[in-house]
Amino acid sequence: MAGGSAGREVPVVLSVLGRPPAGRPPGVLAACDGSDGSLWALDRAMTEAELFGLPLYVLAVVNPAPAGYPPGMAELVQESVETLVESMADGLRRSVAAVQRRRPVPYAGELSLHVVLGNVIEVLLEAATRQHTLVIGTRGNGGFARLLMGSVSSAVVHHAACPVLVVPAPPAA
């Protein structure tokens, strides 16, 4: 969606591909799962997209069956997968709106939201292939654990084909 997003609901693209639609220019890719860490990363991704004048692609990944389905089960759980995807799309819209409300000046650049089915790490690595920057949050529960990255952020730092910006939690007030 060109021309900004303030005050408008941004449509969510459901894609089985791990990247924004073909023909789109490279941009800033923000991984968002609705966690506090991903919201801090989304805010920073908006800033990066503004600074570089690039589109912002916000990506949520749904992995409905981490271990795969036994034969014949895929058809039985299809309705549940569709509900999960809709829920993730709604959560993605709410996450963007929440970050926009916190910003002194709302992000007004090109913004598109994508929900992709698949393994989180594989999808993020594929999606990052043609991007300017991938922005992702970390996890931590305080103390020493705050110094450690989660498995997803660690994997993309080591294997992404573009620069990765890992956004830590803000300091406790």
Side-chain angles (χ1 to χ4, degrees), residues 91-116:
L92 199 53
R93 285 186 203 98
R94 285 186 284 119
S95 293
V96 169
V99 170
Q100 288 282 48
R101 283 191 301 272
R102 286 196 323 230
R103 293 174 62 83
V105 177
Y107 176 77
E110 182 180 345
L111 172 67
S112 62
L113 310 180
H114 303 265
V115 176
V116 179

Side-chain angles (χ1 to χ4, degrees), residues 30-31 36-46 135-138 165 167:
D36 287 346
S38 73
L39 296 181
W40 298 317
L42 177 57
D43 183 55
R44 180 54 189 252
M46 288 178 177
V135 182
I136 191 166
T138 61
L165 175 58
V167 179

Side-chain angles (χ1 to χ4, degrees), residues 52-118:
F52 289 102
L54 296 170
L56 175 61
Y57 305 112
V58 184
L59 175 64
V61 181
V62 176
N63 192 357
Y69 296 116
M73 284 298 292
E75 296 80 22
L76 296 175
V77 298
Q78 184 60 36
E79 186 176 327
S80 295
V81 170
E82 290 170 7
T83 301
L84 183 60
V85 168
E86 283 301 317
S87 176
M88 184 60 90
D90 184 53
L92 199 53
R93 285 186 203 98
R94 285 186 284 119
S95 293
V96 169
V99 170
Q100 288 282 48
R101 283 191 301 272
R102 286 196 323 230
R103 293 174 62 83
V105 177
Y107 176 77
E110 182 180 345
L111 172 67
S112 62
L113 310 180
H114 303 265
V115 176
V116 179
L117 295 171

Side-chain angles (χ1 to χ4, degrees), residues 29-31 37-38 41 124 134-138 152-153 156-157 164-168:
L29 177 67
S38 73
L124 286 175
L134 168 61
V135 182
I136 191 166
T138 61
V152 173
S153 54
V156 299
V157 161
V164 177
L165 175 58
V166 180
V167 179

